[in-house]
Amino acid sequence: MGLLLLFNGFFMLLAAFVSGIYRDGATLDITLAAIVTMLVGVMAMFYTRGHEKVVKRKEGYIIVAFGWIVMSVSGVLPYIFSGAIPDITNAFFETMSGYTTTGASILDDIESLPEGILFWRSLTHWIGGMGIIVLAIAILPLLGIGGMQLFAAEAPGPNADKLHPRITDTAKRLWLIYFGYTVAETLLLKLAGMSFFDAINHSLATLSTGGFSTKNASLAFWNDQPLIQYIIIFFMFLAGSNFVLSYFAFKGKVQRILRDEEFKYYTSLILLFTLVTVLVIYFKANVPVSDYHPMVLGPGESSFRHALFQIIAIVTTTGFVTADFTSWTPFLTVFFFGLMFLGGSAGSTAGGIKVMRHILIIKNGLLEFKRTLHPNAIIPVRYNEKTVSEHIVYNIIGFFVLYMLSFIIGALVLGFLGLDFQSAIGGAASSLGNVGPAFGSLNPLSNFNGLPALGKWWCGFLMLLGRLELFTVLILLTPYFWKKT
């Protein structure tokens, strides 16, 4: 916990540095927040320096879950101290939405915030995107603490595909790729016409599949500059794919990528869903076309771009918007609601159920037909030409059931708090899937500020639950977890 607070304080100092460059008036406030955070971190490390530095599986889950909460609690300080978000409930919601890369916001006028606060807001995405825990395990061995248990609890997706035998080296490689992509996107967006400040903020939000923007209109602000939106589309696609595949690509092992079953489904589904959306938009919906930019070729290009952008933004749970997709047609509203449950690839920064889990659930369901006809036959589920153990299949089915139960309970609570049907199911699906925009009163042109205070805390819990893949949080709520064995 102390080490995580030191990391958080360091990133706050970066935000204070940006604030000082722009002289936005929030420099001292953010610096004070950083000092307080780091002091608490140092005190925590000092008073626990003599404890046995052994992390077992139970401790791994506790550190990950409570680590995220500690990060979010300390992350509210820049908002509170600067007065940007003076209310503790709103500040915590915005911070939890940042660290969990959900991208839902309570801010009505984003563009009025100081640059340092906007940068801190984007940094919370970037920190949470790959997981501050994965970053920390690259450092923990220096203190004599092993990290494998932490990686098993934090790694996004149903499996942790290691790049290197040592987990610390794995974390370093993942962060190097993550950092490299962020730099590359920043440069490309700057060359495409964004200001450097907007470019770096949107890069931080894109690679983390977060969705916080520096503009009230999100990416719709650049609807007349298609190149900017196509660059973000490309990096959203990368962020929603398995980062292990990016590592293989840099090593020249392209065949490993082409043979990967999840990547093939991930790419195919995006293309299929985009085609469906393009046809519906072109013939049924009215999407505005900017005629004064030479790259806009007309309604055909505009329909394709908006469709591709929104499909990738929802599938990867990034949550950027170029238009209010809930106003296109009733069919597309239901369609996009369904996509909130898909998620990106395992090993990506995306939220949701994940494509791999859907593949294995569908494969297992189809094999049940064969097993019914041949009850004595042993017919295993195969993935990437390898047999999947029954334990993994049961784990994934259990995850899916728990995910849907969490969604139903989440929607019921929001309905109990006074939200209408569309807003309740949309808010629950968006929060649990870390998507961002929702439906009804929480649509892309609105925000979550209208939620009652209890509803904001509840959505914050759903964000944490979805970001840490259910089991890491729910297991802490079971009595037998705390029993001594």
Side-chain angles (χ1 to χ4, degrees):
M1 298 298 139
L3 185 63
L4 292 177
L5 288 173
L6 287 181
F7 275 122
N8 225 21
F10 169 73
F11 284 113
M12 286 180 194
L13 288 178
L14 286 182
F17 178 72
V18 171
S19 175
I21 291 175
Y22 285 93
R23 298 181 180 179
D24 58 13
T27 308
L28 290 178
D29 300 318
I30 302 174
T31 304
L32 179 61
I35 293 172
V36 171
T37 301
M38 296 178 83
L39 279 177
V40 175
V42 169
M43 289 171 60
M45 295 184 72
F46 178 78
Y47 283 110
T48 57
R49 69 190 185 283
H51 287 259
E52 185 182 5
K53 296 175 181 178
V54 176
V55 180
K56 299 178 181 178
R57 183 171 293 273
K58 275 190 175 182
E59 286 87 345
Y61 285 108
I62 292 171
I63 291 171
V64 170
F66 282 95
W68 225 273
I69 294 171
V70 166
M71 294 290 284
S72 298
V73 170
S74 63
V76 307
L77 296 182
Y79 296 124
I80 298 292
F81 288 179
S82 67
I85 308 178
D87 180 73
I88 186 66
T89 296
N90 286 340
F92 184 81
F93 180 93
E94 196 78 10
T95 308
M96 180 62 78
S97 180
Y99 282 118
T100 58
T101 72
T102 304
S105 179
I106 51 82
L107 294 169
D108 293 317
D109 188 6
I110 297 167
E111 295 173 32
S112 66
L113 293 179
E115 282 81 359
I117 293 297
L118 287 176
F119 187 68
W120 169 244
R121 187 168 171 262
S122 300
L123 272 179
T124 59
H125 268 345
W126 199 75
I127 297 167
M130 184 62 72
I132 189 66
I133 309 299
V134 178
L135 175 62
I137 63 175
I139 308 299
L140 286 176
L142 298 177
L143 307 177
I145 303 175
M148 188 62 228
Q149 292 84 355
L150 293 180
F151 188 75
E154 155 57 17
N159 72 323
D161 193 351
K162 294 196 293 181
L163 314 179
H164 192 273
R166 291 188 60 191
I167 189 62
T168 52
D169 291 327
T170 296
K172 290 172 185 175
R173 283 164 170 76
L174 290 173
W175 270 92
L176 185 61
I177 294 170
Y178 191 57
F179 179 79
Y181 280 160
T182 306
V183 172
E185 185 185 358
T186 301
L187 294 174
L188 288 173
L189 288 176
K190 179 67 175 69
L191 292 173
M194 265 192 183
S195 69
F196 180 74
F197 182 76
D198 288 334
I200 192 170
N201 276 275
H202 285 87
S203 297
L204 294 173
T206 302
L207 269 302
S208 62
T209 63
F212 280 158
S213 176
T214 56
K215 303 298 182 184
N216 294 328
S218 187
L219 265 294
F221 183 86
W222 290 277
N223 273 351
D224 62 330
Q225 294 177 270
L227 181 58
I228 286 175
Q229 296 181 352
Y230 282 122
I231 290 170
I232 289 179
I233 285 171
F234 174 72
F235 282 97
M236 282 195 295
F237 178 82
L238 288 179
S241 61
N242 193 331
F243 272 73
V244 174
L245 298 182
S246 291
Y247 175 80
F248 290 143
F250 291 124
K251 296 288 287 185
K253 300 178 181 178
V254 180
Q255 289 300 319
R256 291 285 297 271
I257 302 172
L258 299 178
R259 288 199 304 265
D260 186 78
E261 198 168 344
E262 183 182 37
F263 183 75
K264 288 189 286 188
Y265 277 104
Y266 170 68
T267 306
S268 300
L269 288 173
I270 286 176
L271 293 175
L272 175 63
F273 295 152
T274 300
L275 177 62
V276 172
T277 308
V278 165
L279 293 175
V280 175
I281 289 177
Y282 188 79
F283 291 106
K284 294 288 185 179
N286 183 24
V287 177
V289 179
S290 302
D291 296 322
Y292 52 85
H293 194 281
M295 278 197 64
V296 179
L297 305 178
E301 185 278 333
S302 184
S303 298
F304 170 77
R305 175 162 43 88
H306 284 291
L308 180 61
F309 190 100
Q310 291 307 152
I311 288 293
I312 292 185
I314 297 297
V315 168
T316 63
T317 70
T318 306
F320 282 140
V321 292
T322 59
D324 181 10
F325 54 83
T326 63
S327 67
W328 285 345
T329 68
F331 168 79
L332 287 180
T333 300
V334 178
F335 187 64
F336 278 105
F337 174 73
L339 291 182
M340 288 186 173
F341 294 89
L342 180 58
S345 303
S348 71
T349 58
I353 294 175
K354 302 291 192 302
V355 174
M356 178 189 286
R357 288 194 179 99
H358 286 288
I359 294 171
L360 292 176
I361 289 172
I362 293 171
K363 280 190 172 186
N364 185 64
L366 293 175
L367 287 179
E368 284 299 323
F369 291 113
K370 289 185 178 180
R371 293 172 185 146
T372 302
L373 293 174
H374 307 285
N376 296 323
I378 299 175
I379 309 173
V381 178
R382 301 185 69 83
Y383 177 79
N384 278 341
E385 301 179 356
K386 295 179 181 178
T387 299
V388 180
S389 68
E390 285 190 350
H391 169 72
I392 293 177
V393 174
Y394 293 151
N395 178 282
I396 288 172
I397 293 173
F399 177 90
F400 185 80
V401 172
L402 281 175
Y403 193 95
M404 297 311 296
L405 281 174
S406 301
F407 160 67
I408 292 169
I409 294 171
L412 285 173
V413 171
L414 291 178
F416 178 77
L417 294 174
L419 273 70
D420 61 85
F421 178 73
Q422 275 198 4
S423 302
I425 64 170
S430 176
S431 298
L432 190 62
N434 307 133
V435 178
F439 303 94
S441 61
L442 309 176
N443 67 72
L445 297 185
S446 185
N447 58 34
F448 283 64
N449 195 28
L451 282 177
L454 187 58
K456 292 172 184 173
W457 288 100
W458 178 247
C459 283
F461 170 73
L462 292 178
M463 292 174 196
L464 181 67
L465 188 63
R467 177 63 182 90
L468 297 184
E469 306 255 315
L470 303 187
F471 292 120
T472 308
V473 176
L474 293 179
I475 198 171
L476 300 181
L477 305 179
T478 59
Y480 53 82
F481 177 84
W482 301 98
K483 290 181 180 179
K484 291 186 177 181
T485 55

